[in-house]
Amino acid sequence: MTFSHSYKLGLLAAVLILVTAGCQSASKATSRPLTELPVMVSDPNFPLVQLPADFQSRRSTRRVVLGPGDSVKLLDAAGPGCVRHFWVTAKNPERLGIEITCDHADRPQVSMSLHQFFGVLLDKPAYQVDSGPIKVLPETGFNCYFPIPFAESCEIVLRNRSRANVDIWAMANWHRYGPAAPLTPLRLHACYTQQDPGEPLGSMRLGSAGGRGFVAGLFLAIRKEDERDVIWHTGGDTWLIDGETRPHVLRGIGTEDVFGHAFGVHRNMNPWLGGAHVVGKGPTTTEVVAYRFFGIDSVSFDSSYVLRMGTRANPSESVVYDYRAVGSSPPDVMTPRQWTLSGPFELNDETFATDELPAEVLDPSVMSWRFGNRQMPRVRTSPEHTWVDFARWYRFNRKGNGGTQPHNCAAYAATTISAEHAHKTTLRLSFDDRMMIWLNGERVAALSHPDGFDTAAVPIRLRPGENTLVIRLSNQDNIAWRCWAFSCVIQGEQD
């Protein structure tokens, strides 16, 4: 059973245990106290995080004046335990950094400014955020309700990054468990990313990780400087998940859609999604900070994930929060280390059915192609966790959420596979729409997944030395909304 399946089933098991324990206690006059019951409870915001119900409530309180460059440990706790809530207020909180390190890790799982961790972005003074796990209350009441489990230790450090003193008041509430208490292997991580300016018609990697876990939520901030279209017409989000094990994808249409809004991001907040900071309205919006926390809709991954968002030439920032199992890592798989992308090319049934591999695809002197209203370059790129995403590089310069996403077209990806001797192997290819594969100039497969993303196995025979592999992938409308990515894994030698 995979990690993600076990944790999803664990939520149901936790509920059944609690119900059973309640029935037993009601039927027995001499039932044990609740704190002695060996039960687990699920976090109300993120049910995949399950924690012991038997605990001692602890608190760490700090009132300090930090000099320039000084730091204070808001929490320095020995485990096992879990931070359930911490609160910070300060004069000039924008001067503070925060670091969270669990279980004596070599580097903090969280390291960024206090404002960034709490979703106060675009260099703005603190504004109100009213979500389930993150609450910023007037005027500078920073409250975190992310569960932060730890087995051995947890340090939450506040650091003065400025050249002036900072007055700080802070408290951390945490649960301490017994030494034999079962504890989740999940640990909180947060990643801050910035592009200034953003790629005019590209994408921004918001988050990426290897191992097992789930994505809990994100903030995204954009300041409009690109006047060619409205602020959120960027092509939406692309999730490339479990490329090493069970490849699958999630695709969105527009940026505002990711955050549950319609026809723009509006100043509106609830526990799961909202617009925390919005300047302007509708097409006139010039600044936006939106958030989404997934809760029961958390995005789980067994081996890895990559999250990208389409961009225009606008300064953009993001914070992504995920949980990862201690010691987990993606399995070691064989995948080409570099690809050369060519195209796009107009697509129709006749041209896609041809076996002929265009000579210019393998001709290094051809550096670009005219497609639509742009000159598209030849691209050399490394895969992200086995994934190659054409839409990261090839975009239209058109208005609208769908206007930047090419469709009814195809592009090529070429690579080399080295072999010490001749042998058979299998390509595991995951994609949607239509794919054609050439090995050393000969067509070896023509595949079609018209109903959405799926995986196919293609047997091939490698010759000694360098082997040239070329893949042609179409991009058409289907339920994956013009997802134009594939995962490629080479499954070792076979008899």
Side-chain angles (χ1 to χ4, degrees), residues 150-174:
F150 55 96
E152 299 176 0
S153 65
C154 180
E155 293 184 0
I156 301 179
V157 176
L158 300 176
R159 193 177 305 278
N160 183 358
R161 297 181 168 185
S162 73
R163 298 181 180 180
N165 291 345
V166 180
D167 292 0
I168 297 174
W169 298 258
M171 290 186 292
N173 295 330
W174 59 288

mmCIF file with all atom_site columns, all heavy atoms in Angstrom, residues 150-174:
data_model
loop_
_atom_site.group_PDB
_atom_site.id
_atom_site.type_symbol
_atom_site.label_atom_id
_atom_site.label_alt_id
_atom_site.label_comp_id
_atom_site.label_asym_id
_atom_site.label_entity_id
_atom_site.label_seq_id
_atom_site.pdbx_PDB_ins_code
_atom_site.Cartn_x
_atom_site.Cartn_y
_atom_site.Cartn_z
_atom_site.occupancy
_atom_site.B_iso_or_equiv
_atom_site.pdbx_formal_charge
_atom_site.auth_seq_id
_atom_site.auth_comp_id
_atom_site.auth_asym_id
_atom_site.auth_atom_id
_atom_site.pdbx_PDB_model_num
ATOM 1   N N   . PHE A 1 150 ? 7.059  16.776 15.181 1.00 0.00 ? 150 PHE A N   1
ATOM 2   C CA  . PHE A 1 150 ? 8.490  16.512 15.302 1.00 0.00 ? 150 PHE A CA  1
ATOM 3   C C   . PHE A 1 150 ? 8.696  15.323 16.226 1.00 0.00 ? 150 PHE A C   1
ATOM 4   O O   . PHE A 1 150 ? 7.945  15.122 17.185 1.00 0.00 ? 150 PHE A O   1
ATOM 5   C CB  . PHE A 1 150 ? 9.245  17.744 15.810 1.00 0.00 ? 150 PHE A CB  1
ATOM 6   C CG  . PHE A 1 150 ? 8.736  18.317 17.103 1.00 0.00 ? 150 PHE A CG  1
ATOM 7   C CD1 . PHE A 1 150 ? 9.323  17.976 18.319 1.00 0.00 ? 150 PHE A CD1 1
ATOM 8   C CD2 . PHE A 1 150 ? 7.682  19.211 17.117 1.00 0.00 ? 150 PHE A CD2 1
ATOM 9   C CE1 . PHE A 1 150 ? 8.861  18.507 19.514 1.00 0.00 ? 150 PHE A CE1 1
ATOM 10  C CE2 . PHE A 1 150 ? 7.204  19.756 18.312 1.00 0.00 ? 150 PHE A CE2 1
ATOM 11  C CZ  . PHE A 1 150 ? 7.794  19.407 19.516 1.00 0.00 ? 150 PHE A CZ  1
ATOM 12  N N   . ALA A 1 151 ? 9.702  14.517 15.921 1.00 0.00 ? 151 ALA A N   1
ATOM 13  C CA  . ALA A 1 151 ? 9.989  13.321 16.718 1.00 0.00 ? 151 ALA A CA  1
ATOM 14  C C   . ALA A 1 151 ? 11.013 13.600 17.803 1.00 0.00 ? 151 ALA A C   1
ATOM 15  O O   . ALA A 1 151 ? 10.884 13.102 18.933 1.00 0.00 ? 151 ALA A O   1
ATOM 16  C CB  . ALA A 1 151 ? 10.491 12.199 15.811 1.00 0.00 ? 151 ALA A CB  1
ATOM 17  N N   . GLU A 1 152 ? 12.042 14.385 17.488 1.00 0.00 ? 152 GLU A N   1
ATOM 18  C CA  . GLU A 1 152 ? 13.136 14.607 18.436 1.00 0.00 ? 152 GLU A CA  1
ATOM 19  C C   . GLU A 1 152 ? 13.221 16.049 18.911 1.00 0.00 ? 152 GLU A C   1
ATOM 20  O O   . GLU A 1 152 ? 13.469 16.295 20.095 1.00 0.00 ? 152 GLU A O   1
ATOM 21  C CB  . GLU A 1 152 ? 14.468 14.204 17.790 1.00 0.00 ? 152 GLU A CB  1
ATOM 22  C CG  . GLU A 1 152 ? 14.548 12.737 17.381 1.00 0.00 ? 152 GLU A CG  1
ATOM 23  C CD  . GLU A 1 152 ? 15.843 12.433 16.658 1.00 0.00 ? 152 GLU A CD  1
ATOM 24  O OE1 . GLU A 1 152 ? 16.664 13.366 16.484 1.00 0.00 ? 152 GLU A OE1 1
ATOM 25  O OE2 . GLU A 1 152 ? 16.035 11.276 16.268 1.00 0.00 ? 152 GLU A OE2 1
ATOM 26  N N   . SER A 1 153 ? 13.037 17.001 18.017 1.00 0.00 ? 153 SER A N   1
ATOM 27  C CA  . SER A 1 153 ? 13.222 18.397 18.401 1.00 0.00 ? 153 SER A CA  1
ATOM 28  C C   . SER A 1 153 ? 12.512 19.302 17.417 1.00 0.00 ? 153 SER A C   1
ATOM 29  O O   . SER A 1 153 ? 12.240 18.917 16.271 1.00 0.00 ? 153 SER A O   1
ATOM 30  C CB  . SER A 1 153 ? 14.710 18.759 18.438 1.00 0.00 ? 153 SER A CB  1
ATOM 31  O OG  . SER A 1 153 ? 15.265 18.681 17.123 1.00 0.00 ? 153 SER A OG  1
ATOM 32  N N   . CYS A 1 154 ? 12.220 20.516 17.877 1.00 0.00 ? 154 CYS A N   1
ATOM 33  C CA  . CYS A 1 154 ? 11.676 21.548 16.997 1.00 0.00 ? 154 CYS A CA  1
ATOM 34  C C   . CYS A 1 154 ? 12.184 22.899 17.461 1.00 0.00 ? 154 CYS A C   1
ATOM 35  O O   . CYS A 1 154 ? 12.055 23.245 18.648 1.00 0.00 ? 154 CYS A O   1
ATOM 36  C CB  . CYS A 1 154 ? 10.155 21.543 17.012 1.00 0.00 ? 154 CYS A CB  1
ATOM 37  S SG  . CYS A 1 154 ? 9.411  22.809 15.929 1.00 0.00 ? 154 CYS A SG  1
ATOM 38  N N   . GLU A 1 155 ? 12.789 23.640 16.544 1.00 0.00 ? 155 GLU A N   1
ATOM 39  C CA  . GLU A 1 155 ? 13.240 24.998 16.815 1.00 0.00 ? 155 GLU A CA  1
ATOM 40  C C   . GLU A 1 155 ? 12.519 25.954 15.862 1.00 0.00 ? 155 GLU A C   1
ATOM 41  O O   . GLU A 1 155 ? 12.510 25.737 14.655 1.00 0.00 ? 155 GLU A O   1
ATOM 42  C CB  . GLU A 1 155 ? 14.751 25.146 16.618 1.00 0.00 ? 155 GLU A CB  1
ATOM 43  C CG  . GLU A 1 155 ? 15.587 24.379 17.627 1.00 0.00 ? 155 GLU A CG  1
ATOM 44  C CD  . GLU A 1 155 ? 17.069 24.645 17.436 1.00 0.00 ? 155 GLU A CD  1
ATOM 45  O OE1 . GLU A 1 155 ? 17.428 25.420 16.519 1.00 0.00 ? 155 GLU A OE1 1
ATOM 46  O OE2 . GLU A 1 155 ? 17.872 24.081 18.194 1.00 0.00 ? 155 GLU A OE2 1
ATOM 47  N N   . ILE A 1 156 ? 11.901 26.977 16.433 1.00 0.00 ? 156 ILE A N   1
ATOM 48  C CA  . ILE A 1 156 ? 11.348 28.078 15.646 1.00 0.00 ? 156 ILE A CA  1
ATOM 49  C C   . ILE A 1 156 ? 12.140 29.320 16.020 1.00 0.00 ? 156 ILE A C   1
ATOM 50  O O   . ILE A 1 156 ? 12.113 29.761 17.179 1.00 0.00 ? 156 ILE A O   1
ATOM 51  C CB  . ILE A 1 156 ? 9.851  28.290 15.917 1.00 0.00 ? 156 ILE A CB  1
ATOM 52  C CG1 . ILE A 1 156 ? 9.068  27.018 15.591 1.00 0.00 ? 156 ILE A CG1 1
ATOM 53  C CG2 . ILE A 1 156 ? 9.322  29.458 15.077 1.00 0.00 ? 156 ILE A CG2 1
ATOM 54  C CD1 . ILE A 1 156 ? 7.574  27.124 15.858 1.00 0.00 ? 156 ILE A CD1 1
ATOM 55  N N   . VAL A 1 157 ? 12.878 29.855 15.058 1.00 0.00 ? 157 VAL A N   1
ATOM 56  C CA  . VAL A 1 157 ? 13.798 30.956 15.297 1.00 0.00 ? 157 VAL A CA  1
ATOM 57  C C   . VAL A 1 157 ? 13.301 32.196 14.575 1.00 0.00 ? 157 VAL A C   1
ATOM 58  O O   . VAL A 1 157 ? 12.944 32.141 13.389 1.00 0.00 ? 157 VAL A O   1
ATOM 59  C CB  . VAL A 1 157 ? 15.228 30.606 14.823 1.00 0.00 ? 157 VAL A CB  1
ATOM 60  C CG1 . VAL A 1 157 ? 16.170 31.791 14.989 1.00 0.00 ? 157 VAL A CG1 1
ATOM 61  C CG2 . VAL A 1 157 ? 15.754 29.391 15.582 1.00 0.00 ? 157 VAL A CG2 1
ATOM 62  N N   . LEU A 1 158 ? 13.271 33.314 15.280 1.00 0.00 ? 158 LEU A N   1
ATOM 63  C CA  . LEU A 1 158 ? 13.002 34.621 14.681 1.00 0.00 ? 158 LEU A CA  1
ATOM 64  C C   . LEU A 1 158 ? 14.308 35.385 14.624 1.00 0.00 ? 158 LEU A C   1
ATOM 65  O O   . LEU A 1 158 ? 15.046 35.457 15.623 1.00 0.00 ? 158 LEU A O   1
ATOM 66  C CB  . LEU A 1 158 ? 11.978 35.396 15.500 1.00 0.00 ? 158 LEU A CB  1
ATOM 67  C CG  . LEU A 1 158 ? 10.599 34.728 15.653 1.00 0.00 ? 158 LEU A CG  1
ATOM 68  C CD1 . LEU A 1 158 ? 9.713  35.571 16.562 1.00 0.00 ? 158 LEU A CD1 1
ATOM 69  C CD2 . LEU A 1 158 ? 9.940  34.512 14.306 1.00 0.00 ? 158 LEU A CD2 1
ATOM 70  N N   . ARG A 1 159 ? 14.614 35.948 13.454 1.00 0.00 ? 159 ARG A N   1
ATOM 71  C CA  . ARG A 1 159 ? 15.903 36.601 13.242 1.00 0.00 ? 159 ARG A CA  1
ATOM 72  C C   . ARG A 1 159 ? 15.690 38.028 12.746 1.00 0.00 ? 159 ARG A C   1
ATOM 73  O O   . ARG A 1 159 ? 14.896 38.254 11.822 1.00 0.00 ? 159 ARG A O   1
ATOM 74  C CB  . ARG A 1 159 ? 16.739 35.811 12.242 1.00 0.00 ? 159 ARG A CB  1
ATOM 75  C CG  . ARG A 1 159 ? 18.212 36.217 12.189 1.00 0.00 ? 159 ARG A CG  1
ATOM 76  C CD  . ARG A 1 159 ? 18.974 35.336 11.221 1.00 0.00 ? 159 ARG A CD  1
ATOM 77  N NE  . ARG A 1 159 ? 18.839 33.921 11.523 1.00 0.00 ? 159 ARG A NE  1
ATOM 78  C CZ  . ARG A 1 159 ? 19.564 33.283 12.443 1.00 0.00 ? 159 ARG A CZ  1
ATOM 79  N NH1 . ARG A 1 159 ? 20.468 33.967 13.142 1.00 0.00 ? 159 ARG A NH1 1
ATOM 80  N NH2 . ARG A 1 159 ? 19.384 31.985 12.655 1.00 0.00 ? 159 ARG A NH2 1
ATOM 81  N N   . ASN A 1 160 ? 16.393 38.974 13.361 1.00 0.00 ? 160 ASN A N   1
ATOM 82  C CA  . ASN A 1 160 ? 16.335 40.374 12.939 1.00 0.00 ? 160 ASN A CA  1
ATOM 83  C C   . ASN A 1 160 ? 17.256 40.553 11.741 1.00 0.00 ? 160 ASN A C   1
ATOM 84  O O   . ASN A 1 160 ? 18.482 40.482 11.870 1.00 0.00 ? 160 ASN A O   1
ATOM 85  C CB  . ASN A 1 160 ? 16.749 41.295 14.092 1.00 0.00 ? 160 ASN A CB  1
ATOM 86  C CG  . ASN A 1 160 ? 16.639 42.769 13.731 1.00 0.00 ? 160 ASN A CG  1
ATOM 87  O OD1 . ASN A 1 160 ? 16.289 43.126 12.612 1.00 0.00 ? 160 ASN A OD1 1
ATOM 88  N ND2 . ASN A 1 160 ? 16.958 43.637 14.678 1.00 0.00 ? 160 ASN A ND2 1
ATOM 89  N N   . ARG A 1 161 ? 16.676 40.833 10.573 1.00 0.00 ? 161 ARG A N   1
ATOM 90  C CA  . ARG A 1 161 ? 17.466 40.981 9.356  1.00 0.00 ? 161 ARG A CA  1
ATOM 91  C C   . ARG A 1 161 ? 17.844 42.431 9.073  1.00 0.00 ? 161 ARG A C   1
ATOM 92  O O   . ARG A 1 161 ? 18.445 42.716 8.039  1.00 0.00 ? 161 ARG A O   1
ATOM 93  C CB  . ARG A 1 161 ? 16.674 40.431 8.163  1.00 0.00 ? 161 ARG A CB  1
ATOM 94  C CG  . ARG A 1 161 ? 16.374 38.946 8.228  1.00 0.00 ? 161 ARG A CG  1
ATOM 95  C CD  . ARG A 1 161 ? 15.602 38.510 6.995  1.00 0.00 ? 161 ARG A CD  1
ATOM 96  N NE  . ARG A 1 161 ? 15.529 37.060 6.861  1.00 0.00 ? 161 ARG A NE  1
ATOM 97  C CZ  . ARG A 1 161 ? 14.997 36.424 5.821  1.00 0.00 ? 161 ARG A CZ  1
ATOM 98  N NH1 . ARG A 1 161 ? 14.488 37.137 4.815  1.00 0.00 ? 161 ARG A NH1 1
ATOM 99  N NH2 . ARG A 1 161 ? 14.967 35.116 5.761  1.00 0.00 ? 161 ARG A NH2 1
ATOM 100 N N   . SER A 1 162 ? 17.493 43.332 9.948  1.00 0.00 ? 162 SER A N   1
ATOM 101 C CA  . SER A 1 162 ? 17.699 44.753 9.692  1.00 0.00 ? 162 SER A CA  1
ATOM 102 C C   . SER A 1 162 ? 18.841 45.306 10.531 1.00 0.00 ? 162 SER A C   1
ATOM 103 O O   . SER A 1 162 ? 19.479 44.594 11.308 1.00 0.00 ? 162 SER A O   1
ATOM 104 C CB  . SER A 1 162 ? 16.416 45.526 10.010 1.00 0.00 ? 162 SER A CB  1
ATOM 105 O OG  . SER A 1 162 ? 16.222 45.610 11.413 1.00 0.00 ? 162 SER A OG  1
ATOM 106 N N   . ARG A 1 163 ? 19.073 46.618 10.407 1.00 0.00 ? 163 ARG A N   1
ATOM 107 C CA  . ARG A 1 163 ? 20.117 47.308 11.171 1.00 0.00 ? 163 ARG A CA  1
ATOM 108 C C   . ARG A 1 163 ? 19.545 48.107 12.337 1.00 0.00 ? 163 ARG A C   1
ATOM 109 O O   . ARG A 1 163 ? 20.243 48.937 12.927 1.00 0.00 ? 163 ARG A O   1
ATOM 110 C CB  . ARG A 1 163 ? 20.900 48.240 10.249 1.00 0.00 ? 163 ARG A CB  1
ATOM 111 C CG  . ARG A 1 163 ? 21.632 47.511 9.125  1.00 0.00 ? 163 ARG A CG  1
ATOM 112 C CD  . ARG A 1 163 ? 22.413 48.486 8.257  1.00 0.00 ? 163 ARG A CD  1
ATOM 113 N NE  . ARG A 1 163 ? 23.120 47.796 7.180  1.00 0.00 ? 163 ARG A NE  1
ATOM 114 C CZ  . ARG A 1 163 ? 23.871 48.399 6.270  1.00 0.00 ? 163 ARG A CZ  1
ATOM 115 N NH1 . ARG A 1 163 ? 23.982 49.742 6.296  1.00 0.00 ? 163 ARG A NH1 1
ATOM 116 N NH2 . ARG A 1 163 ? 24.488 47.713 5.326  1.00 0.00 ? 163 ARG A NH2 1
ATOM 117 N N   . ALA A 1 164 ? 18.276 47.830 12.650 1.00 0.00 ? 164 ALA A N   1
ATOM 118 C CA  . ALA A 1 164 ? 17.620 48.526 13.763 1.00 0.00 ? 164 ALA A CA  1
ATOM 119 C C   . ALA A 1 164 ? 17.016 47.493 14.703 1.00 0.00 ? 164 ALA A C   1
ATOM 120 O O   . ALA A 1 164 ? 16.812 46.325 14.336 1.00 0.00 ? 164 ALA A O   1
ATOM 121 C CB  . ALA A 1 164 ? 16.540 49.469 13.241 1.00 0.00 ? 164 ALA A CB  1
ATOM 122 N N   . ASN A 1 165 ? 16.734 47.910 15.938 1.00 0.00 ? 165 ASN A N   1
ATOM 123 C CA  . ASN A 1 165 ? 16.117 47.018 16.903 1.00 0.00 ? 165 ASN A CA  1
ATOM 124 C C   . ASN A 1 165 ? 14.688 46.659 16.481 1.00 0.00 ? 165 ASN A C   1
ATOM 125 O O   . ASN A 1 165 ? 14.004 47.440 15.805 1.00 0.00 ? 165 ASN A O   1
ATOM 126 C CB  . ASN A 1 165 ? 16.081 47.660 18.294 1.00 0.00 ? 165 ASN A CB  1
ATOM 127 C CG  . ASN A 1 165 ? 17.465 47.782 18.900 1.00 0.00 ? 165 ASN A CG  1
ATOM 128 O OD1 . ASN A 1 165 ? 18.425 47.160 18.437 1.00 0.00 ? 165 ASN A OD1 1
ATOM 129 N ND2 . ASN A 1 165 ? 17.580 48.582 19.940 1.00 0.00 ? 165 ASN A ND2 1
ATOM 130 N N   . VAL A 1 166 ? 14.231 45.473 16.915 1.00 0.00 ? 166 VAL A N   1
ATOM 131 C CA  . VAL A 1 166 ? 12.861 45.035 16.669 1.00 0.00 ? 166 VAL A CA  1
ATOM 132 C C   . VAL A 1 166 ? 12.278 44.529 17.985 1.00 0.00 ? 166 VAL A C   1
ATOM 133 O O   . VAL A 1 166 ? 12.853 43.641 18.621 1.00 0.00 ? 166 VAL A O   1
ATOM 134 C CB  . VAL A 1 166 ? 12.782 43.921 15.601 1.00 0.00 ? 166 VAL A CB  1
ATOM 135 C CG1 . VAL A 1 166 ? 11.326 43.513 15.386 1.00 0.00 ? 166 VAL A CG1 1
ATOM 136 C CG2 . VAL A 1 166 ? 13.410 44.359 14.290 1.00 0.00 ? 166 VAL A CG2 1
ATOM 137 N N   . ASP A 1 167 ? 11.140 45.101 18.412 1.00 0.00 ? 167 ASP A N   1
ATOM 138 C CA  . ASP A 1 167 ? 10.417 44.638 19.588 1.00 0.00 ? 167 ASP A CA  1
ATOM 139 C C   . ASP A 1 167 ? 9.512  43.486 19.192 1.00 0.00 ? 167 ASP A C   1
ATOM 140 O O   . ASP A 1 167 ? 8.730  43.587 18.234 1.00 0.00 ? 167 ASP A O   1
ATOM 141 C CB  . ASP A 1 167 ? 9.556  45.756 20.176 1.00 0.00 ? 167 ASP A CB  1
ATOM 142 C CG  . ASP A 1 167 ? 10.397 46.884 20.769 1.00 0.00 ? 167 ASP A CG  1
ATOM 143 O OD1 . ASP A 1 167 ? 11.636 46.783 20.726 1.00 0.00 ? 167 ASP A OD1 1
ATOM 144 O OD2 . ASP A 1 167 ? 9.810  47.861 21.260 1.00 0.00 ? 167 ASP A OD2 1
ATOM 145 N N   . ILE A 1 168 ? 9.580  42.362 19.946 1.00 0.00 ? 168 ILE A N   1
ATOM 146 C CA  . ILE A 1 168 ? 8.841  41.148 19.601 1.00 0.00 ? 168 ILE A CA  1
ATOM 147 C C   . ILE A 1 168 ? 8.085  40.634 20.814 1.00 0.00 ? 168 ILE A C   1
ATOM 148 O O   . ILE A 1 168 ? 8.613  40.603 21.931 1.00 0.00 ? 168 ILE A O   1
ATOM 149 C CB  . ILE A 1 168 ? 9.795  40.037 19.092 1.00 0.00 ? 168 ILE A CB  1
ATOM 150 C CG1 . ILE A 1 168 ? 10.493 40.463 17.806 1.00 0.00 ? 168 ILE A CG1 1
ATOM 151 C CG2 . ILE A 1 168 ? 9.035  38.728 18.867 1.00 0.00 ? 168 ILE A CG2 1
ATOM 152 C CD1 . ILE A 1 168 ? 11.540 39.480 17.349 1.00 0.00 ? 168 ILE A CD1 1
ATOM 153 N N   . TRP A 1 169 ? 6.841  40.220 20.576 1.00 0.00 ? 169 TRP A N   1
ATOM 154 C CA  . TRP A 1 169 ? 6.060  39.449 21.530 1.00 0.00 ? 169 TRP A CA  1
ATOM 155 C C   . TRP A 1 169 ? 5.645  38.171 20.801 1.00 0.00 ? 169 TRP A C   1
ATOM 156 O O   . TRP A 1 169 ? 5.177  38.218 19.659 1.00 0.00 ? 169 TRP A O   1
ATOM 157 C CB  . TRP A 1 169 ? 4.807  40.197 21.969 1.00 0.00 ? 169 TRP A CB  1
ATOM 158 C CG  . TRP A 1 169 ? 5.050  41.499 22.688 1.00 0.00 ? 169 TRP A CG  1
ATOM 159 C CD1 . TRP A 1 169 ? 4.984  41.712 24.037 1.00 0.00 ? 169 TRP A CD1 1
ATOM 160 C CD2 . TRP A 1 169 ? 5.362  42.764 22.099 1.00 0.00 ? 169 TRP A CD2 1
ATOM 161 N NE1 . TRP A 1 169 ? 5.243  43.032 24.337 1.00 0.00 ? 169 TRP A NE1 1
ATOM 162 C CE2 . TRP A 1 169 ? 5.484  43.707 23.154 1.00 0.00 ? 169 TRP A CE2 1
ATOM 163 C CE3 . TRP A 1 169 ? 5.565  43.215 20.792 1.00 0.00 ? 169 TRP A CE3 1
ATOM 164 C CZ2 . TRP A 1 169 ? 5.778  45.051 22.959 1.00 0.00 ? 169 TRP A CZ2 1
ATOM 165 C CZ3 . TRP A 1 169 ? 5.868  44.540 20.586 1.00 0.00 ? 169 TRP A CZ3 1
ATOM 166 C CH2 . TRP A 1 169 ? 5.977  45.445 21.648 1.00 0.00 ? 169 TRP A CH2 1
ATOM 167 N N   . ALA A 1 170 ? 5.772  37.006 21.440 1.00 0.00 ? 170 ALA A N   1
ATOM 168 C CA  . ALA A 1 170 ? 5.478  35.766 20.725 1.00 0.00 ? 170 ALA A CA  1
ATOM 169 C C   . ALA A 1 170 ? 5.108  34.652 21.697 1.00 0.00 ? 170 ALA A C   1
ATOM 170 O O   . ALA A 1 170 ? 5.585  34.627 22.843 1.00 0.00 ? 170 ALA A O   1
ATOM 171 C CB  . ALA A 1 170 ? 6.675  35.339 19.873 1.00 0.00 ? 170 ALA A CB  1
ATOM 172 N N   . MET A 1 171 ? 4.279  33.723 21.234 1.00 0.00 ? 171 MET A N   1
ATOM 173 C CA  . MET A 1 171 ? 3.914  32.529 21.991 1.00 0.00 ? 171 MET A CA  1
ATOM 174 C C   . MET A 1 171 ? 3.790  31.354 21.032 1.00 0.00 ? 171 MET A C   1
ATOM 175 O O   . MET A 1 171 ? 3.342  31.516 19.894 1.00 0.00 ? 171 MET A O   1
ATOM 176 C CB  . MET A 1 171 ? 2.586  32.721 22.735 1.00 0.00 ? 171 MET A CB  1
ATOM 177 C CG  . MET A 1 171 ? 2.631  33.695 23.898 1.00 0.00 ? 171 MET A CG  1
ATOM 178 S SD  . MET A 1 171 ? 1.075  33.726 24.827 1.00 0.00 ? 171 MET A SD  1
ATOM 179 C CE  . MET A 1 171 ? -0.020 34.464 23.603 1.00 0.00 ? 171 MET A CE  1
ATOM 180 N N   . ALA A 1 172 ? 4.158  30.175 21.510 1.00 0.00 ? 172 ALA A N   1
ATOM 181 C CA  . ALA A 1 172 ? 3.982  28.939 20.748 1.00 0.00 ? 172 ALA A CA  1
ATOM 182 C C   . ALA A 1 172 ? 3.308  27.908 21.642 1.00 0.00 ? 172 ALA A C   1
ATOM 183 O O   . ALA A 1 172 ? 3.793  27.614 22.740 1.00 0.00 ? 172 ALA A O   1
ATOM 184 C CB  . ALA A 1 172 ? 5.323  28.408 20.255 1.00 0.00 ? 172 ALA A CB  1
ATOM 185 N N   . ASN A 1 173 ? 2.182  27.377 21.210 1.00 0.00 ? 173 ASN A N   1
ATOM 186 C CA  . ASN A 1 173 ? 1.483  26.305 21.906 1.00 0.00 ? 173 ASN A CA  1
ATOM 187 C C   . ASN A 1 173 ? 1.784  24.989 21.207 1.00 0.00 ? 173 ASN A C   1
ATOM 188 O O   . ASN A 1 173 ? 1.650  24.883 19.979 1.00 0.00 ? 173 ASN A O   1
ATOM 189 C CB  . ASN A 1 173 ? -0.028 26.546 21.906 1.00 0.00 ? 173 ASN A CB  1
ATOM 190 C CG  . ASN A 1 173 ? -0.413 27.777 22.700 1.00 0.00 ? 173 ASN A CG  1
ATOM 191 O OD1 . ASN A 1 173 ? 0.254  28.144 23.666 1.00 0.00 ? 173 ASN A OD1 1
ATOM 192 N ND2 . ASN A 1 173 ? -1.488 28.433 22.294 1.00 0.00 ? 173 ASN A ND2 1
ATOM 193 N N   . TRP A 1 174 ? 2.161  23.972 21.993 1.00 0.00 ? 174 TRP A N   1
ATOM 194 C CA  . TRP A 1 174 ? 2.488  22.704 21.380 1.00 0.00 ? 174 TRP A CA  1
ATOM 195 C C   . TRP A 1 174 ? 2.038  21.553 22.265 1.00 0.00 ? 174 TRP A C   1
ATOM 196 O O   . TRP A 1 174 ? 1.777  21.740 23.468 1.00 0.00 ? 174 TRP A O   1
ATOM 197 C CB  . TRP A 1 174 ? 3.972  22.604 21.050 1.00 0.00 ? 174 TRP A CB  1
ATOM 198 C CG  . TRP A 1 174 ? 4.929  22.736 22.213 1.00 0.00 ? 174 TRP A CG  1
ATOM 199 C CD1 . TRP A 1 174 ? 5.239  23.856 22.915 1.00 0.00 ? 174 TRP A CD1 1
ATOM 200 C CD2 . TRP A 1 174 ? 5.707  21.682 22.780 1.00 0.00 ? 174 TRP A CD2 1
ATOM 201 N NE1 . TRP A 1 174 ? 6.158  23.589 23.891 1.00 0.00 ? 174 TRP A NE1 1
ATOM 202 C CE2 . TRP A 1 174 ? 6.477  22.257 23.833 1.00 0.00 ? 174 TRP A CE2 1
ATOM 203 C CE3 . TRP A 1 174 ? 5.861  20.328 22.518 1.00 0.00 ? 174 TRP A CE3 1
ATOM 204 C CZ2 . TRP A 1 174 ? 7.358  21.516 24.616 1.00 0.00 ? 174 TRP A CZ2 1
ATOM 205 C CZ3 . TRP A 1 174 ? 6.737  19.577 23.287 1.00 0.00 ? 174 TRP A CZ3 1
ATOM 206 C CH2 . TRP A 1 174 ? 7.483  20.173 24.313 1.00 0.00 ? 174 TRP A CH2 1
#
